[in-house]
Amino acid sequence: MISVAIDGPAGAGKSSLARAAAKELGFIYVDTGALYRTLGLKLIRTNTSVEDILLVEQLLKTTKVEIRFVQDEQHVFLDGEDVTSLIRTPEVSMTASKVSAIPAVRAYLLEMQRSLAKSNNVLMDGRDIGTVVLPNATVKIFLTASVEERAKRRYKELVEKGSNVTFDEVYADIEKRDYADSHREIAPLKPADDSKIVDTTGLSIEESLNLLLKTVNEGIEEK
């Protein structure tokens, strides 16, 4: 099986680019960030503080997170409910970033992610795929862009979805996510030693996708 691990900071376009690349390659696309967002949504709904580690660990015992593929598109389910369209708000983003630093949460989701890669050709994106989840991935990529570029993209995405946010709020959120993800003790965000850096600053979506596909195909050929 071929596995492509794509890591990178918030707003780098991992989800949209990885989804498109997987479709082009005929691979299954796995958005691991959606899993952490789903757990973040559960904490918000149950008024559970992310600082209360023991309570979060207890909550995991009665929580069911699933990935299902609906017409080849990944959907995430929380306790049987499709919450795919509910997990992209700034509040959920920040909660997801904090909850992902809890070791029990990472352990809870790790096997689910690895099992998908064992039985399918996958393109999996997240924060620690190449470093922790799939350390033996066929190809490892670190997808990034400048903070300003990522904030512009995320702001445009949120406005199009009807969110009432300002650019400054989105920019600040991206900076907070970067700091939280790169400074956490467990699986901090960083390129794997053998990853290929793909910087999409100033590139269109089409140019970014072409660069990503070129890098993936070259990586597969090298193996």
Side-chain angles (χ1 to χ4, degrees), residues 71-121:
Q71 296 179 335
D72 293 330
E73 286 286 328
Q74 174 183 295
H75 283 239
V76 283
F77 287 75
L78 175 61
D79 300 326
E81 176 193 355
D82 187 342
V83 295
T84 308
S85 63
L86 305 176
I87 59 172
R88 298 291 167 184
T89 67
E91 183 186 13
V92 171
S93 293
M94 284 309 299
T95 307
S97 182
K98 291 175 182 175
V99 81
S100 66
I102 300 173
V105 168
R106 304 199 76 82
Y108 173 83
L109 295 174
L110 185 61
E111 192 49 45
M112 180 195 305
Q113 296 167 60
R114 285 181 173 168
S115 64
L116 285 166
K118 285 176 185 173
S119 52
N120 303 278
N121 288 330

Side-chain angles (χ1 to χ4, degrees), residues 20-88:
K23 189 173 184 180
E24 195 76 27
L25 294 164
F27 289 10
I28 282 179
Y29 164 60
V30 182
D31 171 11
T32 63
L35 300 174
Y36 291 100
R37 287 171 177 273
T38 301
L39 285 174
L41 179 63
K42 178 67 177 269
L43 264 64
I44 292 168
R45 284 181 168 183
T46 56
N47 292 316
T48 302
S49 170
V50 73
E51 312 296 336
D52 193 334
I53 307 298
L54 289 177
L55 200 55
V56 173
E57 291 176 351
Q58 286 298 316
L59 195 67
L60 291 176
K61 295 176 182 178
T62 57
T63 300
K64 187 174 185 182
V65 174
E66 297 173 274
I67 287 179
R68 298 182 201 168
F69 293 92
V70 181
Q71 296 179 335
D72 293 330
E73 286 286 328
Q74 174 183 295
H75 283 239
V76 283
F77 287 75
L78 175 61
D79 300 326
E81 176 193 355
D82 187 342
V83 295
T84 308
S85 63
L86 305 176
I87 59 172
R88 298 291 167 184

